[in-house]
Amino acid sequence: MNTLQIDHQSFTVSVPSIDTKIFKQLIQRMGWHIAAAPAKERVRLYDPETGEYLNDETMQAIEESRKGIGVTSYSSFDDFANAMRAL
């Protein structure tokens, strides 16, 4: 009995969610095999003073501030000081 050996190559493919069903059908018809990518691990910041990682709420606030969400800027210290006095 002869065994046919086929070389395989692996690819990483990004498929739009709307096309996932048809992509999976194509894979099945071709006799190929797929595996979903592992879930991305959430980034955590470590606080060496407490020995703990920041919680979800704090990480969300940091991510939003990096995107400019909920951030207020002032053109000068005087503008900042005036805004703080108005609180």
Side-chain angles (χ1 to χ4, degrees):
M1 181 168 131
N2 289 340
T3 303
L4 179 62
Q5 196 157 10
I6 300 173
D7 289 331
H8 290 86
Q9 290 185 344
S10 295
F11 296 90
T12 300
V13 179
S14 295
V15 179
S17 296
I18 195 167
D19 295 329
T20 302
K21 183 178 177 182
I22 202 165
F23 178 73
K24 288 181 178 181
Q25 290 171 345
L26 174 65
I27 295 298
Q28 186 176 15
R29 287 182 183 172
M30 296 295 292
W32 298 344
H33 300 281
I34 60 171
K40 287 185 177 180
E41 188 174 314
R42 290 186 55 104
V43 175
R44 292 276 178 220
L45 294 178
Y46 179 73
D47 182 355
E49 290 182 12
T50 64
E52 297 179 0
Y53 288 88
L54 301 181
N55 63 24
D56 287 337
E57 184 179 358
T58 305
M59 289 304 302
Q60 183 67 32
I62 291 170
E63 290 171 15
E64 287 175 0
S65 68
R66 286 180 176 165
K67 294 176 184 175
I69 300 170
V71 176
T72 303
S73 61
Y74 301 94
S75 58
S76 70
F77 179 76
D78 290 334
D79 290 344
F80 170 75
N82 290 334
M84 295 303 107
R85 284 187 202 104
L87 290 177

